[in-house]
Amino acid sequence: MSLQPKHHLDFADWLAAERASDQGRTEYLNGEVFAMAGGSEAHNLICGNVLRELGNHFKGRSCYVYTSDMKVRVESANLGAYPDVMAICGKRQFLDDRRDVITNPTLVVEVLSDSTEAYDRGDKFAYYRAIPSLRAYLLLSQQRVSAELFLRQPSGDWLLSVYTDPSDCIPLTALDTELSLAEVYDKVEFAADH
């Protein structure tokens, strides 16, 4: 996400403009609109791998996985965002009849980049934590095999588990499934200096 806001709007105006635009996506935060940069090959491969794996695990179940074209609304933070991947098991709640804005994700996945890592770990995670339905937040590195899974505990606290061995499986208990780290990073090539 770009650090420079484009202009100031209320959420409804941003959403209407976003739905009508073919000029690239933006994210909305409390009146400010931020341009989103395109992703690298590694970013796209990781997202595609996660989508494929979750989609395969969800066959025959009332669970859904969404690409980064689906928006999420966090009312308490006045945020409209495009997570890299979202998943829901059970009833989906949409902002309106357009069904392009989810309000109750169970899992949000963000693939870290140099320009977004601090935001994804900090403020964005704080905003996402305000979603009552959210049970898991997964951060995936595109520099190395590394997954950081934050799971909401019954107390409301978040527990961090880190996975770095390709033989590891990431337990997504809220979705009654797991992700193989080897599958998440299938065909991803890392730069030699990482």
Side-chain angles (χ1 to χ4, degrees):
M1 182 186 307
S2 169
L3 297 178
Q4 297 299 317
K6 290 175 76 173
H7 42 277
H8 192 81
L9 294 173
D10 68 22
F11 178 80
D13 289 340
W14 169 80
L15 185 58
E18 195 70 6
R19 286 173 169 169
S21 176
D22 61 356
Q23 300 298 311
R25 293 178 306 183
T26 63
E27 289 195 349
Y28 176 89
L29 176 59
N30 202 27
E32 294 183 293
V33 178
F34 299 88
M36 295 178 61
S40 67
E41 180 194 32
H43 184 280
N44 279 281
L45 288 170
I46 293 165
C47 289
N49 291 341
V50 170
L51 285 164
R52 181 186 64 246
E53 289 302 301
L54 287 177
N56 288 339
H57 290 283
F58 292 167
K59 284 184 179 179
R61 299 176 53 204
S62 63
C63 295
Y64 306 85
V65 62
Y66 297 101
T67 70
S68 60
D69 288 330
M70 182 68 79
K71 294 172 276 302
V72 66
R73 172 69 168 148
V74 184
E75 186 74 36
S76 63
N78 198 13
L79 174 72
Y82 289 89
D84 289 325
V85 177
M86 281 189 293
I88 298 170
C89 284
K91 185 177 166 101
R92 294 152 298 154
Q93 295 172 357
F94 297 95
L95 182 67
D96 58 27
D97 290 341
R98 285 285 298 265
R99 299 173 68 98
D100 62 346
V101 182
I102 290 283
T103 61
N104 70 324
T106 306
L107 166 70
V108 168
V109 179
E110 294 287 2
V111 178
L112 301 173
S113 68
D114 290 342
S115 62
T116 65
E117 183 169 356
Y119 179 59
D120 289 342
R121 291 180 180 286
D123 288 345
K124 197 170 199 181
F125 183 31
Y127 303 142
Y128 285 157
R129 287 194 308 262
I131 302 171
S133 64
L134 190 68
R135 295 290 171 261
Y137 185 54
L138 180 61
L139 297 175
L140 298 170
S141 173
Q142 57 180 311
Q143 309 298 332
R144 68 194 63 78
V145 173
S146 178
E148 297 173 53
L149 177 64
F150 294 86
L151 290 176
R152 189 188 305 257
Q153 303 302 295
S155 65
D157 293 333
W158 289 83
L159 178 66
L160 168 63
S161 298
V162 178
Y163 304 90
T164 57
D165 188 312
S167 67
D168 287 341
C169 284
I170 306 164
L172 299 174
T173 53
L175 301 168
D176 194 27
T177 193
E178 63 184 18
L179 281 175
S180 157
L181 213 53
E183 294 299 328
V184 167
Y185 286 98
D186 183 47
K187 295 186 175 74
V188 177
E189 298 173 3
F190 301 106
D193 62 340
H194 288 285

